[in-house]
Amino acid sequence: MADLKTDEQKIEKLAEMIGGSKRIVAFTGAGVSTESNIPDFRSARGVYEAIERRYGKPAEVLLSHSFFKAHPDIFFDYLRSYLIFPDAQPNDAHKTLAVLEQLGKAAAVVTQNIDGLHTKAGSKNVCELHGSVYKNYCIDCGENYTLDFVLTSSGIPHCEKCGGIVRPNVVLYEEPLDSSVTEKAINEIAHADMLLIMGTSLAVYPAAGFIGYFKGKNLVIINKDATPYDGKANLHIQAQAGKTMRTALDILGI
Ligand code: NAD
Ligand code: ZN
């Protein structure tokens, strides 16, 4: 889009694309929740730096299946301190997508986030590729538990029925994605006329690879930092997702 020089021109174009689309699918990452004060992983002040200082290990290690098995005490300390934000509220990135769904323009949100904010904002069709901290289960008997249960227990949370460890239903490194969620996400992306990628470094696989299933007209990336897919986008806006989306919907009178 060499002819679009300023962010204003790009947001005008974004509004035009949204206005002309019937099946928008959003593909979101941690960057859509930074405006809700949840830190992302890879921005300069992201979680990576904080945890490397505190635990001396990278996030990929702390959030791996083998680390959870070997050091569940540290895992839950890390989880409660850095990955659970029960008071966070949806921002304009989440809210605008929920509005577009209500208007019948957006078909789905495919998210890598585990914070539940798309659902909190009112989106109904949300594919949580990496699960959610709001869902927890006993690894031995499968009993379900709430986020509150994990937050109000101390140390390693144990099942009230069998004593097993209660863990969040989130996908750790070394663990596969849920196949039914994956299938649904790919299907939504494959049938979208506009793919709206927001707030993701597109560095985490296999999730980032799902955008390859998009066959529609408009591939849009709204992200603060550069991503490996910027060159493939019909429209690339390097800005805050929430503010950008709010401005685009203002232009459309939504
Ligand atoms: P990431 O941290 O790798 O990348 C976030 C990207 O968002 C960065 O490129 C950054 O420039 C951009 N960004 C930050 N704030 C932005 C804003 N306001 N508007 C637009 N862009 C913004 O995140 P990722 O690609 O989602 O991968 C991280 C992994 O960690 C994911 O698998 C996710 O599950 C998990 N994670 C989730 C949360 C959450 O649930 N909120 C938070 C941290 C990490
Ligand atoms: Zn149990």
Side-chain angles (χ1 to χ4, degrees):
M1 290 269 158
D3 52 328
L4 300 176
K5 297 259 187 310
T6 65
D7 276 358
E8 286 75 19
Q9 287 172 321
K10 289 180 180 181
I11 297 174
E12 290 269 353
K13 184 73 191 168
L14 172 65
E16 189 189 312
M17 285 175 169
I18 292 172
S21 299
K22 294 191 176 79
R23 280 194 72 88
I24 301 169
V25 170
F27 184 84
T28 69
V32 295
S33 295
T34 56
E35 288 163 75
S36 299
N37 295 320
I38 299 180
D40 63 9
F41 270 3
R42 290 179 184 79
S43 292
R45 287 173 296 128
V47 169
Y48 264 45
E49 268 188 7
I51 60 163
E52 275 188 21
R53 266 199 309 275
R54 176 151 169 196
Y55 299 97
K57 292 186 197 308
E60 281 99 342
V61 173
L62 288 161
L63 274 177
S64 67
H65 181 80
S66 42
F67 190 86
F68 164 69
K69 283 288 187 195
H71 307 284
D73 50 338
I74 302 177
F75 174 86
F76 281 102
D77 186 50
Y78 166 64
L79 182 81
R80 291 191 189 96
S81 311
Y82 291 101
L83 288 176
I84 299 179
F85 299 85
D87 300 327
Q89 293 304 318
N91 65 61
D92 280 333
H94 310 97
K95 289 182 198 167
T96 49
L97 292 176
V99 168
L100 290 174
E101 185 188 70
Q102 280 150 24
L103 294 173
K105 279 191 145 316
V109 176
V110 177
T111 188
Q112 300 166 85
N113 294 344
I114 56 173
D115 56 30
L117 288 184
H118 285 298
T119 305
K120 242 187 202 176
S123 284
K124 301 278 179 258
N125 194 15
V126 184
C127 304
E128 292 175 314
L129 293 175
H130 295 157
S132 167
V133 294
Y134 284 90
K135 295 169 189 154
N136 298 271
Y137 66 94
C138 167
I139 60 172
D140 289 335
C141 75
E143 180 73 8
N144 291 318
Y145 286 90
T146 61
L147 174 60
D148 235 30
F149 178 83
V150 173
L151 286 177
T152 54
S153 56
S154 61
I156 304 166
H158 287 284
C159 178
E160 285 171 340
K161 286 197 166 166
C162 78
I165 294 177
V166 174
R167 66 163 277 184
N169 194 357
V170 300
V171 179
L172 302 177
Y173 288 97
E174 305 163 353
E175 292 178 343
L177 304 194
D178 181 303
S179 57
S180 61
V181 178
T182 302
E183 211 173 288
K184 190 170 182 317
I186 290 174
N187 190 46
E188 293 291 3
I189 291 170
H191 290 95
D193 59 2
M194 173 169 175
L195 186 62
L196 188 48
I197 300 170
M198 296 199 287
T200 170
S201 59
L202 294 173
V204 177
Y205 281 83
F210 291 0
I211 66 175
Y213 290 94
F214 178 61
K215 302 188 289 272
K217 196 169 159 210
N218 291 318
L219 180 68
V220 177
I221 299 181
I222 308 172
N223 204 61
K224 268 188 3 196
D225 293 311
T227 84
Y229 289 85
D230 292 348
K232 291 196 165 49
N234 303 90
L235 178 64
H236 171 224
I237 307 178
Q238 214 161 334
Q240 286 192 304
K243 279 190 184 159
T244 304
M245 285 297 288
R246 189 57 261 163
T247 309
L249 265 59
D250 283 347
I251 292 170
L252 290 166
I254 298 173

